[in-house]
Amino acid sequence: MEPPYHAGSILMKVNTLQGKKMVESGLQSGDFSLPQSWPSCLLPPADLESLQQKVAGVQRELEDFKKEVLKAIHYLEDAFCEMNGELVQQGEQAARVKQRLREEEDRGIVRNKVLTFLLPREKQLREHCKQLERMLLGSGRDALGAPRKIQAN
């Protein structure tokens, strides 16, 4: 047995199952109008008209809300695409920086190898130059360190 409800001055029975179905279908379709199967004698015509105006207002608000939601979704999609593009660009830039760092590291390794090879050679050449200098200066001096006279033939 369905409970009676008091609406205005009219005592009426409400079919809760049918009402629930109407609300569910109204929520899904966005249509909150009363079905033709419901007798219009449940409410006075003025109350029914007021209720229909309220329902129409709710439907307009729902449509406005849908438009706002779609606009927000489009905005979010655009922002996502823009951010995704920036991420791709930053990824490419990071890859270029890594490549330059690798190249610089490779040049540094080559420089170190060259320096490792050249520094001992420089040391050997300096010592050899000093020996040659001593030999050259030593041949031009006598045992006491005084310069010798070079005789011409």
Coordinates of all heavy atoms in Angstrom, one line a residue, residues 138-148:
G138 N 129.4 23.8 -22.6 CA 130.5 23.1 -22.1 C 131.7 23.0 -23.1 O 132.9 23.0 -22.8
S139 N 131.4 22.9 -24.4 CA 132.5 22.8 -25.4 C 133.1 24.1 -25.6 O 134.2 24.2 -26.1 CB 131.9 22.3 -26.7 OG 131.0 23.2 -27.3
G140 N 132.5 25.2 -25.3 CA 133.1 26.5 -25.5 C 133.9 27.0 -24.3 O 134.4 28.1 -24.3
R141 N 134.1 26.3 -23.2 CA 134.8 26.7 -22.0 C 135.9 25.7 -21.7 O 135.8 24.5 -22.0 CB 133.9 26.8 -20.8 CG 132.7 27.8 -21.0 CD 131.9 27.9 -19.8 NE 130.8 28.8 -19.9 CZ 130.9 30.1 -19.6 NH1 132.0 30.6 -19.2 NH2 129.9 30.9 -19.8
D142 N 137.0 26.2 -21.1 CA 138.1 25.3 -20.7 C 137.8 24.7 -19.3 O 136.7 24.9 -18.8 CB 139.4 26.0 -20.7 CG 139.5 27.1 -19.7 OD1 138.5 27.3 -18.9 OD2 140.5 27.8 -19.6
A143 N 138.7 24.0 -18.8 CA 138.5 23.3 -17.5 C 138.2 24.2 -16.4 O 137.5 23.9 -15.4 CB 139.7 22.4 -17.2
L144 N 138.7 25.5 -16.4 CA 138.5 26.5 -15.3 C 137.2 27.2 -15.5 O 136.8 28.0 -14.7 CB 139.7 27.4 -15.2 CG 141.0 26.8 -14.9 CD1 142.1 27.8 -14.9 CD2 140.9 26.2 -13.5
G145 N 136.6 27.1 -16.6 CA 135.3 27.8 -16.9 C 135.5 29.0 -17.7 O 134.6 29.7 -18.0
A146 N 136.8 29.3 -18.1 CA 137.1 30.5 -18.9 C 136.8 30.2 -20.4 O 137.1 29.1 -20.8 CB 138.5 31.0 -18.8
P147 N 136.3 31.1 -21.2 CA 136.0 30.8 -22.6 C 137.3 30.5 -23.3 O 138.3 31.0 -23.1 CB 135.4 32.1 -23.1 CG 135.3 33.0 -22.0 CD 135.9 32.4 -20.8
R148 N 137.2 29.5 -24.2 CA 138.4 29.1 -25.0 C 138.4 30.0 -26.3 O 137.3 30.4 -26.7 CB 138.3 27.7 -25.5 CG 138.7 26.7 -24.4 CD 138.9 25.4 -25.1 NE 138.0 24.4 -24.7 CZ 137.7 23.2 -25.2 NH1 138.4 22.9 -26.3 NH2 136.9 22.4 -24.8

